[in-house]
Amino acid sequence: MSNPASPPAVDVLDERPGLTFPPGFLWGAATAAYQIEGAAAVDGRAPSIWDTFSHTEGRVVAGHTGDVACDHYHRLGDDVALMAELGLKSYRFSVSWSRVQPTGTGAANPGGLDFYRRLVDELLANGIEPWLTLYHWDLPQPLEDAGGWPARDTAARFADYTTLVADALGDRVRYWTTLNEPWCSAFLGYGSGVHAPGRTNGADAVRAGHHLMLGHGLAVQALRAARPAAEVGVTVNLYPVDPASDSPADRDAARRIDGLANRFFLDPLLRGSYPEDLVADLSTVTDFEHVRDGDLATISTPLDLVGVNYYSRHVVAAPVEGVEADPAPSCWPGSEDVRFVTRGVPVTDMGWEIDAPGLTETLRRVNGYTDLPLYVTENGSAFVDSVVDGQVDDVDRLAYFDAHLRAAHEAIDAGVPLRGYFAWSLMDNFEWAWGYTKRFGMIHVDYDSQVRTPKSSAKWYASVIRRNGLAAQ
Ligand code: FCB
């Protein structure tokens, strides 16, 4: 029996204090070109690997494609008006390389650049800071045909494209992210093949990862040359990786997955070297002969900021002896037999475990690598939403944001120079291999009518931005 004199424990836990963020904290929301724009064949745009992939049978749930998506290309004005209503201080979007440079080489396509000029001007007119990501997974198909990211030349092509965008938009855009989540481009795109271009070769995935980072370094240099005042960074997706038990075998499994998921990128980008244990783990996959002298210096070209995308934590265990690894192509080359363990904690509609303290841990970890300002460039959750009487009361998503913002604030309290937070996503959109079946938006999109309906989380986020923090609960 509980003691009637003390309140039930759950109420105590639910009493959360109000929190104020530092002055000037950059409150934003994020999207990506292929996920929202549509207008796939308009004004000179040509196919990217995601057009090809989504049009290939069996690749995306229900055969969904980004052909129309949220039709943002034609609704830019209305969409920016919605952002202004939310009070966003910044909007993180990506540029479609295939729109700006349809073959991946040569001169810019003026029609494509015009769209981004209009978008940036509209944002600025509404007092919203544009935050431009150069590459959110949509390589022009001709560059994939020429070898894709496993081919070294793609890195040089990325730098050329960067110069085109910097020349056109650099007078108006202050914040730049080169790559979004190179782990996904490399290991889902070329390892497990669940993302475009759908290739499945571990050595190619490792080469792709290297060339993505090389392209990043070259792009940083191209941006600095074209726009010395630009604030330049990269966005990585990071996960705390815990062993399922304290056994040496489980701890070793965690070390391996942490190497592939996190240190594969953090160490070259921020320290200029690959971790030795990672290179050893990958020795059955690749001899790293693709790494040339000077690459790591290019990759670690100094940055102005680091973007962190955070969604969940991985818990892993050693392989069980006698049990074969899943024969499906893996995104963990050399460590295919490591087991991913679920802990039975609440999950989102993606099946991703909800773990807000993991955000604090992740931000503190990156701060251990660098003193640079950090930004959460994505954080959010998919849940099944229903529209009732024109309202979407997405309490689960709202609670997810609330918990993660508290975790972000804890990192600030611990001294992490966290300068901003971007909710993923502004609106429901094409969730890659899941098509339109997973909703991450603060704004609901009816894909038949293209009607936008701000959900409860959007209204709540607007109040967070207004008070620069969270109300007590
Ligand atoms: C991230 C991607 C983003 C979106 C979210 C849910 O990995 O960067 O485009 O798909 O996950």
Side-chain angles (χ1 to χ4, degrees):
M1 276 276 292
S2 61
N3 176 354
S6 40
V10 66
D11 282 351
V12 175
L13 285 176
D14 271 350
E15 268 176 29
R16 281 168 294 180
L19 292 176
T20 303
F21 281 72
F25 194 76
L26 199 62
W27 295 101
T31 63
Y34 191 72
Q35 296 183 274
I36 65 163
E37 287 179 2
V42 170
D43 294 336
R45 184 184 180 280
S48 74
I49 53 175
W50 269 98
D51 295 83
T52 309
F53 189 78
S54 65
H55 280 268
T56 306
E57 209 186 318
R59 294 303 208 169
V60 175
V61 170
H64 291 166
T65 75
D67 287 2
V68 178
C70 306
D71 197 30
H72 170 69
Y73 191 83
H74 297 118
R75 293 163 197 271
L76 164 177
D78 291 349
D79 287 342
V80 175
L82 283 168
M83 296 176 210
E85 267 171 48
L86 279 180
L88 292 188
K89 306 280 185 221
S90 181
Y91 170 55
R92 174 176 177 254
F93 62 97
S94 79
V95 170
S96 156
W97 187 344
S98 299
R99 222 181 259 299
V100 163
Q101 198 187 31
T103 61
T105 53
N109 167 35
L113 281 175
D114 272 357
F115 168 70
Y116 296 107
R117 278 200 194 94
R118 282 189 283 123
L119 173 61
V120 166
D121 288 348
E122 194 70 18
L123 290 168
L124 292 172
N126 281 276
I128 301 169
E129 183 85 52
W131 184 302
L132 190 156
T133 298
L134 285 156
Y135 186 73
H136 201 123
W137 306 355
D138 43 359
L139 188 71
Q141 185 61 41
L143 293 185
E144 172 59 22
D145 297 340
W149 286 109
R152 187 176 177 91
D153 188 55
T154 304
R157 301 283 69 75
F158 181 59
D160 290 351
Y161 151 71
T162 297
T163 299
L164 296 182
V165 182
D167 284 347
L169 300 170
D171 58 337
R172 282 160 275 187
V173 175
R174 176 166 168 218
Y175 291 101
W176 298 74
T177 301
T178 54
L179 308 173
N180 177 71
E181 301 192 353
W183 182 84
C184 294
S185 299
F187 291 99
L188 299 180
Y190 295 91
S192 64
V194 303
H195 278 187
R199 281 158 63 181
T200 54
N201 178 295
D204 280 346
V206 173
R207 292 172 72 93
H210 182 74
H211 295 142
L212 279 151
M213 287 192 283
L214 183 63
H216 152 81
L218 295 171
V220 174
Q221 294 173 2
L223 268 165
R224 297 239 187 272
R227 300 291 175 183
E231 302 271 334
V232 184
V234 62
T235 278
V236 282
N237 54 316
L238 303 174
Y239 298 80
V241 183
D242 286 354
S245 80
D246 255 350
S247 76
D250 284 355
R251 292 164 71 101
D252 195 57
R255 180 195 59 72
R256 295 179 80 100
I257 297 303
D258 178 57
L260 285 166
N262 301 317
R263 292 181 290 119
F264 186 105
F265 297 96
L266 288 174
D267 283 46
L269 290 166
L270 299 173
R271 290 190 176 147
S273 59
Y274 279 107
E276 277 174 25
D277 64 310
L278 170 79
V279 174
D281 291 346
L282 283 165
S283 61
T284 53
V285 176
T286 175
D287 56 8
F288 278 81
E289 50 72 37
H290 51 273
V291 179
R292 298 205 191 148
D293 284 354
D295 283 5
L296 284 151
T298 305
I299 288 171
S300 57
T301 301
L303 300 175
D304 302 303
L305 57 94
V306 178
V308 173
N309 288 1
Y310 176 78
Y311 288 94
S312 190
R313 179 188 301 269
H314 292 318
V315 181
V316 298
V320 179
E321 249 179 76
V323 177
E324 292 284 308
D326 183 344
S330 173
C331 54
W332 307 107
S335 298
E336 295 85 353
D337 51 3
V338 169
R339 292 178 300 134
F340 283 71
V341 175
T342 52
R343 294 173 293 168
V345 305
V347 297
T348 68
D349 191 33
M350 299 296 283
W352 299 344
E353 293 189 349
I354 300 172
D355 193 315
L359 175 57
T360 319
E361 212 174 307
T362 299
L363 292 169
R364 294 189 70 171
R365 184 182 192 185
V366 180
N367 185 226
Y369 272 82
T370 175
D371 291 338
L372 287 174
L374 306 186
Y375 291 81
V376 173
T377 37
E378 283 180 31
N379 173 242
S381 54
F383 286 104
V384 177
D385 294 320
S386 37
V387 188
V388 180
D389 298 332
Q391 305 283 331
V392 182
D393 196 17
D394 59 337
V395 284
D396 292 342
R397 186 174 294 101
L398 192 159
Y400 182 101
F401 283 134
D402 180 84
H404 286 77
L405 283 175
R406 288 174 191 279
H409 197 279
E410 205 173 312
I412 295 171
D413 282 345
V416 175
L418 181 70
R419 299 284 154 74
Y421 173 95
F422 291 77
W424 184 272
S425 178
L426 175 71
M427 59 180 136
D428 294 334
N429 57 48
F430 176 82
E431 178 46 36
W432 309 112
W434 293 97
Y436 299 100
T437 62
K438 304 291 179 193
R439 293 180 179 272
F440 274 91
M442 294 186 292
I443 297 174
H444 181 271
V445 176
D446 178 321
Y447 294 110
D448 294 326
S449 64
Q450 291 295 349
V451 166
R452 275 81 160 129
T453 307
K455 305 177 190 177
S456 296
S457 59
K459 296 169 194 163
W460 169 84
Y461 194 53
S463 75
V464 170
I465 298 173
R466 264 199 312 276
R467 58 162 62 94
N468 195 35
L470 299 165
Q473 289 175 352

